[in-house]
Amino acid sequence: MSTATGFWYRRQPDGELFLVTNWHVVTGRKPSAPNISETGAVPTSLHGMIHEEVGQGKSADPLIHEDRVVHFELPINDEDGERPRWFEHPTFLHRVDVVALRMGQIAHPSGKGLVLRAVGDPNFLDLNPFFSTRVTDDAFVLGYPWGLRGGGDALPIYKRGTIASEPTLSQAGLPRFLIDCRTASGMSGSPVLATRPATGQPLGVGRSPVFGRAGAFVGVYSGRLLPEDLGASAIVNDTIAQRARDEISEIGVVWRSEVIAAIVNNNRQGSKLSEIIGLQMGGE
C-alpha cells in the first residue's frame, strides 16, 4: 500500500525490543481525519529488511555486507481493522502519530546473527543522552525518501534540516515540535537526531580542548504540515491549496522522544477501526 520508515527501540531496563513508526503508517489514515481512508483498505502487515551479520570488525562491532539482508513480515492487524497489534499513546491515543510494536525475539532463519541498532542501546550512534536540544540545532531525519536506500541494501538516507520551534514546548497542544527540512514521501516514521558543534575539555592540566559535534536522538518524524492540518478553511480552490502546500512543504512535525517511553511503558493497545470511526462520528 505504501513505503515508509521505522526504527528499533529498546526499552530499559528490561531490554525489550520494539519497532517504532507512525500511526498513519499502520492504519493508512491521517490522525487529523481518522474516519477517512484514501485507499479504503486496512494494512494488515509490515514488510521490512534487516542486515545479516557477516563478521566482526576490530572494535568488535558487527560487520554487514550490502547484499546480505533478511526479509521479514510483521502482522499488524486483521482485514477488518479490529485486531491492532501496536501500542499507542495512553493519553492522546491516535492524536500522537506514533506507535510501537512489540518484537520479541528476531531470529535469522539459518540461526545466523542479525545486526540491530536500537535507540536505547548503549552508545547508539555515539550520541550523548544528556544533550539538550535547542532551536537552530541541525536536525537529521534518517529515512527512505521515495523508498530509496542509502548504501547497502537497507541503510537509510540522512536528510538535513534545522530545529524550527522550541523543542521542549508543545506545538498545537501536542508533545511535538517543528523542523525545517526538505523531506519526501517514504520518510514517515523516521528517527530524528539533533546535533551542533561542541567543545570538550579533557581532564588533566595543560590538555587542549577537543572540538567536535554533540547530539542526541530527539524524536519521530511524521510528515510535513499541510493546510488541512492548520484548519485552513479559507482555501477554496485547488490552485490556492497547492500554493499553500508548496509554501509550507518544508515544515515537518517531530514527536518528542518522550512519547515513545510513554507508549512502551503503558501498553495501551491500539484503537480498533470501529472505535476510531465511532470516536470521530461522536465528535461531529
Side-chain angles (χ1 to χ4, degrees), residues 26-126:
V26 297
T27 63
R29 297 164 181 267
K30 295 180 179 180
S32 58
N35 62 326
I36 300 173
S37 171
E38 294 183 358
T39 65
V42 175
T44 59
S45 64
L46 295 178
H47 177 85
M49 295 176 290
I50 312 175
H51 272 111
E52 175 186 322
E53 183 176 347
V54 298
Q56 289 188 334
K58 293 181 180 180
S59 61
D61 286 336
L63 298 178
I64 63 173
H65 186 280
E66 62 182 42
D67 297 325
R68 303 278 288 275
V69 298
V70 175
H71 296 256
F72 70 93
E73 189 168 322
L74 180 65
I76 58 173
N77 212 334
D78 64 14
E79 294 181 354
D80 297 321
E82 295 300 297
R83 297 186 64 187
R85 295 172 180 260
W86 62 84
F87 298 125
E88 59 189 24
H89 198 275
T91 304
F92 294 102
L93 307 181
H94 63 268
R95 291 183 63 202
V96 167
D97 195 6
V98 179
V99 298
L101 294 113
R102 178 179 279 124
M103 295 301 299
Q105 295 296 320
I106 302 178
H108 193 293
S110 67
K112 296 180 180 179
L114 299 174
V115 180
L116 304 179
R117 296 189 182 276
V119 175
D121 282 342
N123 301 321
F124 172 72
L125 296 182
D126 295 323

XYZ file of all heavy atoms in Angstrom, residues 26-126:
783
model
N 0.569 2.453 9.970
C -0.074 1.170 10.266
C -1.581 1.196 10.038
O -2.232 0.144 10.051
C 0.227 0.717 11.714
C 1.712 0.480 11.889
C -0.293 1.720 12.732
N -2.151 2.373 9.818
C -3.601 2.460 9.603
C -3.982 2.940 8.209
O -5.112 2.708 7.765
C -4.258 3.413 10.622
O -3.743 4.738 10.427
C -4.001 2.946 12.047
N -3.085 3.665 7.524
C -3.446 4.257 6.239
C -4.389 5.428 6.384
O -5.060 5.809 5.423
N -4.427 6.040 7.580
C -5.347 7.145 7.868
C -4.589 8.280 8.554
O -3.640 8.037 9.295
C -6.491 6.676 8.777
C -7.356 5.615 8.134
C -8.239 4.886 9.138
N -9.028 3.870 8.465
C -10.253 4.057 7.995
N -10.859 5.235 8.190
N -10.893 3.101 7.373
N -5.031 9.500 8.322
C -4.419 10.651 8.973
C -5.019 10.838 10.359
O -6.240 10.752 10.526
C -4.654 11.915 8.141
C -3.985 11.912 6.781
C -4.275 13.209 6.048
C -3.595 13.226 4.693
N -3.874 14.504 3.957
N -4.199 11.123 11.358
C -4.749 11.384 12.690
C -5.739 12.545 12.705
O -6.657 12.560 13.518
C -3.502 11.712 13.520
C -2.397 10.999 12.830
C -2.722 11.092 11.365
N -5.550 13.523 11.795
C -6.458 14.667 11.756
C -7.810 14.315 11.152
O -8.779 15.052 11.327
C -5.827 15.807 10.947
O -5.525 15.377 9.623
N -7.903 13.194 10.431
C -9.172 12.759 9.824
C -9.210 11.234 9.824
O -9.171 10.599 8.759
C -9.318 13.316 8.410
N -9.277 10.595 10.988
C -9.142 9.138 11.074
C -10.278 8.352 10.448
O -10.138 7.151 10.204
C -9.054 8.889 12.582
C -9.766 10.047 13.194
C -9.460 11.210 12.309
N -11.430 8.994 10.204
C -12.544 8.273 9.592
C -12.446 8.220 8.077
O -13.318 7.647 7.414
C -13.870 8.922 10.003
C -13.985 10.356 9.524
O -12.977 11.071 9.459
N -15.183 10.794 9.180
N -11.389 8.808 7.506
C -11.221 8.828 6.054
C -9.995 8.005 5.678
O -8.930 8.158 6.261
C -11.053 10.269 5.538
C -12.286 11.105 5.886
C -10.796 10.280 4.039
C -12.133 12.573 5.556
N -10.171 7.120 4.695
C -9.059 6.327 4.179
C -8.918 6.600 2.692
O -9.897 6.490 1.942
C -9.293 4.834 4.408
O -8.331 4.056 3.727
N -7.715 6.983 2.261
C -7.512 7.304 0.848
C -7.635 6.067 -0.039
O -8.007 6.170 -1.211
C -6.138 7.951 0.650
C -6.013 9.321 1.323
C -4.672 9.966 1.059
O -3.827 9.322 0.377
O -4.457 11.107 1.511
N -7.325 4.887 0.492
C -7.368 3.662 -0.303
C -8.588 2.800 -0.004
O -8.965 1.963 -0.821
C -6.111 2.820 -0.050
O -6.101 2.385 1.321
C -4.850 3.627 -0.329
N -9.189 2.986 1.164
C -10.305 2.132 1.564
C -9.855 0.794 2.110
O -10.684 -0.028 2.504
N -8.543 0.549 2.140
C -8.007 -0.729 2.607
C -7.439 -0.590 4.018
O -7.142 0.509 4.479
C -6.921 -1.226 1.659
N -7.295 -1.727 4.684
C -6.705 -1.774 6.023
C -5.356 -2.483 5.925
O -5.298 -3.649 5.521
C -7.614 -2.530 7.009
C -6.931 -2.672 8.362
C -8.943 -1.814 7.155
N -4.254 -1.814 6.268
C -2.956 -2.502 6.269
C -2.974 -3.651 7.268
O -3.406 -3.491 8.409
C -1.972 -1.412 6.703
C -2.668 -0.117 6.409
C -4.125 -0.390 6.627
N -2.516 -4.826 6.845
C -2.521 -5.999 7.716
C -1.126 -6.474 8.092
O -0.985 -7.296 8.997
C -3.270 -7.158 7.046
O -2.640 -7.476 5.799
C -4.731 -6.785 6.797
N -0.076 -5.978 7.425
C 1.277 -6.407 7.773
C 2.288 -5.371 7.319
O 2.016 -4.566 6.419
C 1.608 -7.762 7.142
O 1.608 -7.666 5.730
N 3.444 -5.391 7.957
C 4.585 -4.580 7.555
C 5.669 -5.517 7.022
O 5.901 -6.591 7.577
C 5.146 -3.793 8.741
C 4.258 -2.723 9.368
C 4.969 -2.085 10.556
C 3.876 -1.666 8.357
N 6.323 -5.083 5.974
C 7.426 -5.850 5.409
C 8.699 -5.042 5.588
O 8.736 -3.851 5.265
C 7.187 -6.119 3.920
C 8.315 -6.849 3.261
N 8.421 -8.220 3.284
C 9.384 -6.402 2.574
C 9.517 -8.581 2.635
N 10.119 -7.495 2.190
N 9.734 -5.673 6.121
C 10.972 -4.951 6.383
C 12.195 -5.788 6.079
O 12.098 -6.960 5.686
N 13.368 -5.180 6.255
C 14.636 -5.845 5.983
C 15.619 -5.563 7.113
O 15.645 -4.471 7.663
C 15.226 -5.344 4.666
C 14.404 -5.684 3.448
S 15.090 -4.971 1.943
C 14.761 -3.230 2.221
N 16.424 -6.574 7.453
C 17.469 -6.449 8.458
C 18.757 -7.001 7.867
O 18.747 -8.042 7.195
C 17.142 -7.252 9.743
C 15.717 -6.974 10.209
C 18.131 -6.934 10.853
C 15.292 -7.820 11.386
N 19.869 -6.323 8.105
C 21.146 -6.822 7.623
C 21.600 -8.054 8.417
O 21.454 -8.111 9.643
C 22.222 -5.737 7.719
C 22.285 -4.862 6.515
N 21.909 -3.544 6.528
C 22.668 -5.127 5.239
C 22.069 -3.018 5.324
N 22.521 -3.955 4.524
N 22.173 -8.983 7.688
C 22.763 -10.167 8.293
C 24.193 -9.855 8.735
O 24.924 -9.157 8.035
C 22.774 -11.299 7.263
C 23.466 -12.566 7.691
C 23.555 -13.558 6.550
O 22.588 -13.649 5.774
O 24.607 -14.231 6.432
N 24.575 -10.358 9.899
C 25.948 -10.166 10.371
C 26.876 -11.115 9.620
O 26.619 -12.328 9.548
C 26.042 -10.425 11.873
C 27.421 -10.170 12.450
C 27.462 -10.343 13.957
O 26.386 -10.428 14.585
O 28.581 -10.399 14.508
N 27.957 -10.558 9.075
C 28.895 -11.387 8.315
C 30.271 -11.453 8.969
O 31.198 -12.040 8.417
C 29.035 -10.871 6.860
C 27.710 -10.956 6.136
C 29.567 -9.435 6.836
N 30.436 -10.869 10.147
C 31.717 -10.901 10.841
C 31.796 -9.777 11.851
O 30.800 -9.093 12.122
N 32.976 -9.584 12.414
C 33.195 -8.514 13.382
C 34.430 -7.716 13.014
O 35.412 -8.256 12.505
C 33.360 -9.086 14.802
C 32.069 -9.639 15.389
C 32.227 -10.007 16.849
O 33.320 -10.307 17.312
N 31.128 -9.960 17.587
N 34.351 -6.398 13.265
C 35.474 -5.526 12.998
C 36.454 -5.511 14.156
O 36.307 -6.246 15.148
N 37.452 -4.633 14.072
C 38.488 -4.565 15.100
C 37.921 -4.146 16.455
O 38.442 -4.513 17.499
C 39.583 -3.600 14.661
C 40.374 -4.082 13.442
C 41.463 -3.091 13.079
C 42.257 -3.569 11.872
N 43.333 -2.608 11.488
N 36.852 -3.349 16.426
C 36.259 -2.891 17.681
C 35.123 -3.802 18.141
O 34.339 -3.433 19.001
C 35.734 -1.464 17.518
O 34.735 -1.416 16.511
N 35.038 -4.978 17.526
C 34.008 -5.969 17.861
C 32.624 -5.555 17.397
O 31.636 -6.200 17.746
C 33.991 -6.266 19.364
N 32.529 -4.478 16.622
C 31.241 -4.117 16.033
C 30.900 -5.107 14.932
O 31.782 -5.551 14.181
C 31.299 -2.705 15.441
C 31.297 -1.628 16.510
O 30.810 -1.920 17.615
O 31.774 -0.512 16.238
N 29.627 -5.460 14.788
C 29.250 -6.396 13.727
C 29.452 -5.784 12.348
O 29.247 -4.589 12.150
C 27.771 -6.671 14.009
C 27.305 -5.485 14.788
C 28.478 -5.051 15.599
N 29.866 -6.610 11.406
C 30.053 -6.182 10.032
C 28.885 -6.666 9.184
O 28.306 -7.724 9.443
C 31.363 -6.750 9.469
C 32.654 -6.311 10.158
C 33.850 -7.014 9.509
C 32.825 -4.802 10.085
N 28.539 -5.868 8.165
C 27.455 -6.242 7.263
C 27.978 -6.275 5.838
O 29.022 -5.721 5.530
C 26.272 -5.258 7.359
C 26.699 -3.847 6.918
C 25.687 -5.227 8.767
C 25.554 -2.856 6.832
N 27.243 -6.946 4.971
C 27.510 -6.940 3.544
C 26.293 -6.329 2.874
O 25.158 -6.634 3.237
C 27.750 -8.362 3.024
C 28.176 -8.412 1.580
N 27.272 -8.309 0.536
C 29.393 -8.531 1.019
C 27.927 -8.382 -0.609
N 29.214 -8.516 -0.351
N 26.527 -5.476 1.891
C 25.423 -4.691 1.335
C 24.314 -5.549 0.733
O 23.166 -5.112 0.662
C 25.958 -3.719 0.282
C 26.597 -4.365 -0.910
C 27.140 -3.334 -1.886
O 27.745 -2.349 -1.423
O 26.933 -3.509 -3.088
N 24.637 -6.764 0.307
C 23.616 -7.599 -0.328
C 23.036 -8.656 0.603
O 22.166 -9.426 0.185
C 24.209 -8.310 -1.561
C 24.653 -7.324 -2.630
O 23.979 -6.292 -2.783
O 25.679 -7.581 -3.293
N 23.492 -8.696 1.845
C 23.066 -9.776 2.745
C 22.023 -9.239 3.722
O 22.360 -8.734 4.801
C 24.274 -10.338 3.497
C 25.382 -10.858 2.589
C 25.102 -12.250 2.098
N 25.253 -13.203 3.171
C 26.420 -13.737 3.522
N 27.534 -13.382 2.894
N 26.469 -14.630 4.493
N 20.772 -9.336 3.337
C 19.678 -8.885 4.193
C 18.663 -10.001 4.362
O 18.548 -10.899 3.529
C 18.976 -7.624 3.636
C 19.920 -6.449 3.562
C 18.355 -7.910 2.272
N 17.951 -9.931 5.462
C 16.879 -10.870 5.758
C 15.560 -10.110 5.683
O 15.413 -9.046 6.292
C 17.062 -11.489 7.160
C 15.880 -12.381 7.507
C 18.360 -12.276 7.219
N 14.609 -10.626 4.937
C 13.297 -10.014 4.819
C 12.367 -10.610 5.874
O 12.408 -11.809 6.149
C 12.716 -10.246 3.424
C 13.510 -9.595 2.338
N 13.105 -8.437 1.711
C 14.701 -9.926 1.771
C 14.003 -8.086 0.812
N 14.981 -8.969 0.822
N 11.553 -9.758 6.479
C 10.598 -10.256 7.461
C 9.247 -9.581 7.254
O 9.141 -8.500 6.685
C 11.103 -10.003 8.895
C 11.110 -8.556 9.312
C 10.021 -7.988 9.971
C 12.216 -7.750 9.052
C 10.038 -6.662 10.358
C 12.237 -6.418 9.436
C 11.141 -5.879 10.089
N 8.216 -10.266 7.704
C 6.856 -9.733 7.628
C 6.252 -9.752 9.019
O 6.333 -10.761 9.732
C 6.004 -10.562 6.663
C 4.653 -9.933 6.375
C 3.940 -10.591 5.203
O 4.629 -10.943 4.229
O 2.715 -10.751 5.281
N 5.667 -8.633 9.410
C 5.143 -8.464 10.759
C 3.637 -8.200 10.697
O 3.219 -7.155 10.190
C 5.855 -7.298 11.452
C 5.457 -6.968 12.873
C 5.825 -8.113 13.809
C 6.143 -5.683 13.331
N 2.803 -9.121 11.179
C 1.352 -8.862 11.197
C 1.036 -7.681 12.103
O 1.590 -7.566 13.201
C 0.766 -10.160 11.756
C 1.842 -11.185 11.580
C 3.141 -10.445 11.710
N 0.124 -6.797 11.648
C -0.208 -5.631 12.461
C -1.709 -5.474 12.704
O -2.112 -4.724 13.594
C 0.328 -4.325 11.823
C -0.223 -4.135 10.409
C 1.855 -4.322 11.825
C 0.145 -2.796 9.797
N -2.552 -6.183 11.933
C -3.995 -6.027 12.102
C -4.704 -7.109 11.299
O -4.079 -7.806 10.492
C -4.449 -4.636 11.639
C -5.631 -4.097 12.420
O -6.430 -4.861 12.973
N -5.754 -2.788 12.498
N -6.030 -7.252 11.513
C -6.796 -8.115 10.621
C -7.442 -7.271 9.530
O -7.311 -6.041 9.509
C -7.846 -8.926 11.394
C -8.921 -8.060 12.058
O -9.021 -6.849 11.721
O -9.657 -8.577 12.914
N -8.107 -7.902 8.588
C -8.637 -7.189 7.430
C -9.758 -6.223 7.787
O -10.079 -5.322 7.009
C -9.136 -8.197 6.387
C -8.007 -9.041 5.787
C -8.503 -10.014 4.743
O -9.746 -10.102 4.566
O -7.672 -10.687 4.106
N -10.361 -6.406 8.942
C -11.438 -5.510 9.385
C -10.919 -4.383 10.278
O -11.697 -3.524 10.695
C -12.513 -6.305 10.133
C -13.189 -7.343 9.250
O -13.425 -7.035 8.065
O -13.454 -8.458 9.739
N -9.646 -4.392 10.589
C -9.090 -3.357 11.452
C -9.489 -3.486 12.900
O -9.426 -2.504 13.654
N -9.865 -4.699 13.328
C -10.371 -4.888 14.684
C -9.376 -5.576 15.615
O -9.694 -5.830 16.776
C -11.668 -5.712 14.634
C -12.814 -4.992 13.924
C -13.180 -3.682 14.598
O -13.623 -3.715 15.764
O -13.005 -2.618 13.973
N -8.171 -5.891 15.116
C -7.181 -6.545 15.967
C -5.818 -5.864 15.840
O -4.837 -6.476 15.426
C -7.063 -8.035 15.609
C -8.338 -8.838 15.850
C -8.079 -10.305 15.621
N -7.108 -10.842 16.575
C -6.601 -12.084 16.513
N -6.961 -12.887 15.530
N -5.735 -12.492 17.408
N -5.749 -4.594 16.164
C -4.455 -3.899 16.075
C -3.449 -4.486 17.049
O -3.762 -4.727 18.212
C -4.807 -2.448 16.423
C -6.058 -2.550 17.236
C -6.814 -3.726 16.682
N -2.230 -4.686 16.574
C -1.186 -5.292 17.394
C -0.215 -4.255 17.964
O 0.744 -4.622 18.636
C -0.414 -6.323 16.577
C -1.259 -7.522 16.139
C -0.489 -8.405 15.166
N -1.277 -9.547 14.742
C -1.156 -10.768 15.242
N -0.270 -11.009 16.196
N -1.906 -11.759 14.799
N -0.429 -2.996 17.647
C 0.502 -1.975 18.118
C -0.001 -1.328 19.406
O -1.179 -1.442 19.774
C 0.689 -0.892 17.045
C -0.580 -0.141 16.706
C -1.124 0.935 17.348
C -1.475 -0.429 15.625
N -2.285 1.331 16.755
C -2.525 0.518 15.689
C -1.477 -1.384 14.598
C -3.576 0.520 14.763
C -2.522 -1.376 13.688
C -3.558 -0.427 13.779
N 0.915 -0.623 20.071
C 0.573 0.193 21.221
C 0.567 1.656 20.786
O 1.366 2.060 19.936
C 1.585 0.002 22.355
C 1.643 -1.405 22.878
C 2.840 -2.089 22.923
C 0.499 -2.039 23.329
C 2.913 -3.394 23.403
C 0.546 -3.335 23.814
C 1.756 -4.016 23.846
N -0.339 2.442 21.361
C -0.399 3.861 21.042
C -0.341 4.681 22.321
O -0.313 4.136 23.427
C -1.658 4.181 20.229
C -2.965 3.846 20.900
C -4.165 3.982 19.963
O -3.978 3.887 18.738
O -5.286 4.188 20.464
N -0.318 6.000 22.176
C -0.120 6.872 23.327
C -1.269 6.722 24.324
O -2.438 6.734 23.935
C -0.007 8.328 22.873
C 0.599 9.226 23.895
N -0.144 9.818 24.894
C 1.891 9.619 24.088
C 0.653 10.555 25.652
N 1.884 10.452 25.197
N -0.967 6.589 25.621
C -2.018 6.333 26.611
C -2.952 7.511 26.843
O -4.082 7.318 27.305
C -1.230 6.002 27.880
C 0.092 6.686 27.700
C 0.374 6.600 26.234
N -2.516 8.722 26.532
C -3.344 9.913 26.777
C -3.963 10.457 25.493
O -5.174 10.656 25.405
C -2.513 11.021 27.451
O -1.927 10.514 28.657
C -3.382 12.228 27.770
N -3.143 10.692 24.500
C -3.602 11.310 23.261
C -4.077 10.299 22.223
O -4.610 10.688 21.182
C -2.491 12.177 22.659
C -2.130 13.369 23.493
C -0.988 13.366 24.274
C -2.935 14.498 23.496
C -0.653 14.475 25.039
C -2.616 15.610 24.259
C -1.469 15.601 25.033
N -3.868 9.020 22.474
C -4.254 7.961 21.533
C -3.681 8.253 20.152
O -2.512 8.548 20.022
C -5.780 7.805 21.512
C -6.456 7.595 22.890
C -7.960 7.426 22.736
C -5.832 6.446 23.628
N -4.532 8.176 19.098
C -4.015 8.348 17.738
C -3.690 9.799 17.396
O -3.123 10.053 16.334
C -5.010 7.792 16.716
C -6.326 8.505 16.703
N -7.400 8.102 17.470
C -6.742 9.594 16.022
C -8.429 8.905 17.252
N -8.054 9.821 16.383
N -4.001 10.733 18.285
C -3.607 12.121 18.005
C -2.092 12.267 18.040
O -1.559 13.183 17.424
C -4.268 13.068 19.014
C -5.783 13.185 18.857
C -6.325 14.188 19.852
N -5.786 15.530 19.614
C -5.749 16.490 20.534
N -6.164 16.233 21.774
N -5.257 17.689 20.227
N -1.414 11.399 18.774
C 0.044 11.301 18.680
C 0.345 10.283 17.582
O 0.016 9.096 17.718
C 0.674 10.867 20.014
C 2.132 10.464 19.811
C 0.601 12.006 21.016
N 0.953 10.741 16.521
C 1.143 9.916 15.327
C 2.363 9.009 15.462
O 3.258 8.998 14.610
C 1.288 10.837 14.110
C 1.135 10.094 12.799
O 0.798 8.891 12.822
O 1.370 10.713 11.737
N 2.387 8.226 16.556
C 3.488 7.304 16.831
C 2.907 6.020 17.420
O 2.007 6.076 18.266
C 4.509 7.908 17.825
C 5.633 6.906 18.122
C 5.098 9.204 17.284
N 3.427 4.887 16.969
C 3.037 3.598 17.543
C 4.291 2.767 17.775
O 5.349 3.037 17.204
C 2.072 2.816 16.629
C 0.777 3.594 16.427
C 2.727 2.482 15.291
N 4.156 1.750 18.622
C 5.247 0.815 18.883
C 4.692 -0.598 18.816
O 3.620 -0.888 19.346
C 5.875 1.080 20.246
N 5.432 -1.484 18.155
C 5.052 -2.894 18.045
C 6.077 -3.746 18.778
O 7.280 -3.619 18.542
C 4.984 -3.320 16.580
C 3.878 -2.643 15.778
C 4.467 -1.723 14.726
C 2.975 -3.671 15.116
N 5.591 -4.596 19.673
C 6.488 -5.478 20.415
C 7.050 -6.525 19.462
O 6.314 -7.199 18.742
C 5.740 -6.138 21.558
C 6.580 -7.114 22.354
C 5.804 -7.729 23.498
N 5.763 -6.846 24.650
C 4.651 -6.426 25.229
N 3.473 -6.770 24.743
N 4.695 -5.643 26.292
N 8.384 -6.665 19.469
C 9.024 -7.542 18.511
C 9.374 -8.921 19.085
O 9.433 -9.897 18.350
C 10.315 -6.895 17.978
C 10.074 -5.631 17.181
S 9.003 -5.893 15.749
C 9.971 -7.066 14.818
N 9.632 -9.014 20.379
C 10.096 -10.282 20.908
C 11.474 -10.605 20.357
O 12.316 -9.728 20.159
N 11.715 -11.853 20.042
C 12.998 -12.276 19.515
C 12.949 -12.334 17.991
O 12.049 -12.949 17.412
C 13.376 -13.657 20.063
C 13.610 -13.667 21.570
C 14.803 -12.814 21.965
O 15.830 -12.799 21.286
N 14.671 -12.111 23.082
N 13.893 -11.661 17.332
C 14.003 -11.726 15.888
C 15.169 -12.643 15.562
O 16.301 -12.395 15.998
C 14.250 -10.328 15.279
C 13.115 -9.387 15.664
C 14.375 -10.407 13.771
C 13.301 -7.982 15.150
N 14.909 -13.690 14.813
C 15.942 -14.673 14.542
C 16.134 -14.863 13.049
O 15.172 -14.807 12.271
C 15.588 -16.010 15.201
N 17.369 -15.092 12.649
C 17.678 -15.443 11.268
C 17.197 -16.878 11.029
O 17.393 -17.754 11.882
C 19.183 -15.326 11.041
C 19.582 -15.359 9.602
N 19.440 -16.480 8.820
C 20.123 -14.414 8.788
C 19.883 -16.236 7.595
N 20.302 -14.982 7.563
N 16.558 -17.137 9.893
C 16.066 -18.497 9.628
C 17.162 -19.562 9.739
O 16.886 -20.708 10.113
C 15.544 -18.401 8.192
C 15.188 -16.963 8.015
C 16.184 -16.202 8.823
N 18.407 -19.195 9.431
C 19.506 -20.164 9.471
C 20.224 -20.186 10.811
O 21.150 -20.961 11.003
C 20.516 -19.842 8.367
O 21.170 -18.608 8.642
N 19.799 -19.315 11.730
C 20.467 -19.231 13.019
C 21.616 -18.247 13.047
O 22.263 -18.082 14.084
N 21.897 -17.584 11.937
C 22.975 -16.593 11.895
C 22.548 -15.324 12.628
O 21.378 -15.115 12.918
C 23.326 -16.270 10.444
C 23.879 -17.444 9.656
C 24.198 -17.024 8.229
C 24.753 -18.195 7.425
N 25.047 -17.807 6.021
N 23.514 -14.443 12.890
C 23.228 -13.217 13.611
C 22.635 -12.140 12.720
O 22.842 -12.124 11.500
N 21.868 -11.243 13.325
C 21.298 -10.085 12.638
C 21.830 -8.823 13.299
O 22.102 -8.804 14.502
C 19.772 -10.112 12.698
C 19.091 -11.310 12.035
C 17.586 -11.279 12.306
C 19.352 -11.314 10.532
N 21.964 -7.765 12.527
C 22.533 -6.518 13.035
C 21.395 -5.547 13.342
O 20.756 -5.017 12.431
C 23.510 -5.889 12.019
C 24.080 -4.586 12.572
C 24.635 -6.866 11.702
N 21.136 -5.336 14.614
C 20.085 -4.427 15.058
C 20.721 -3.298 15.850
O 21.389 -3.545 16.859
C 19.069 -5.150 15.951
C 18.380 -6.384 15.374
C 17.429 -6.974 16.399
C 17.625 -6.026 14.105
N 20.499 -2.078 15.427
C 20.954 -0.908 16.190
C 19.702 -0.192 16.685
O 18.948 0.358 15.887
C 21.814 0.003 15.323
C 23.118 -0.650 14.860
C 24.035 0.353 14.193
N 25.249 -0.254 13.704
C 26.330 -0.485 14.438
N 26.310 -0.165 15.723
N 27.402 -1.033 13.914
N 19.499 -0.203 17.969
C 18.252 0.301 18.534
C 18.486 1.551 19.363
O 19.473 1.651 20.099
C 17.597 -0.768 19.410
N 17.582 2.519 19.241
C 17.555 3.644 20.171
C 17.362 3.071 21.575
O 16.471 2.250 21.801
C 16.408 4.613 19.832
C 16.314 5.712 20.882
C 16.601 5.200 18.444
N 18.196 3.473 22.486
C 18.172 2.916 23.837
C 19.313 1.980 24.112
O 19.603 1.661 25.266
N 20.002 1.500 23.047
C 21.201 0.690 23.243
C 22.345 1.579 23.727
O 22.399 2.767 23.378
C 21.620 0.026 21.930
C 20.772 -1.195 21.601
O 20.117 -1.724 22.516
O 20.787 -1.621 20.425
N 23.277 1.036 24.487
C 24.462 1.827 24.889
C 25.235 2.313 23.666
O 25.421 1.576 22.696
C 25.283 0.818 25.710
C 24.302 -0.202 26.173
C 23.276 -0.310 25.082
N 25.633 3.557 23.711
C 26.445 4.143 22.639
C 25.752 4.108 21.275
O 26.401 3.960 20.241
C 27.801 3.430 22.550
C 28.584 3.515 23.836
O 28.585 4.548 24.506
N 29.227 2.425 24.217
N 24.426 4.253 21.266
C 23.702 4.296 19.995
C 24.219 5.464 19.159
O 24.058 6.626 19.530
C 22.197 4.444 20.245
C 21.385 4.693 18.999
C 21.187 3.686 18.083
C 20.833 5.944 18.753
C 20.441 3.915 16.934
C 20.089 6.181 17.607
C 19.894 5.163 16.694
N 24.871 5.161 18.050
C 25.461 6.154 17.156
C 26.378 7.132 17.891
O 26.597 8.254 17.443
C 24.364 6.930 16.412
C 23.497 6.113 15.460
C 22.489 7.018 14.768
C 24.347 5.404 14.419
N 26.883 6.712 19.058
C 27.793 7.558 19.850
C 27.174 8.900 20.211
O 27.858 9.924 20.287
C 29.118 7.781 19.103
C 29.894 6.484 18.930
O 29.860 5.666 19.863
O 30.514 6.305 17.875
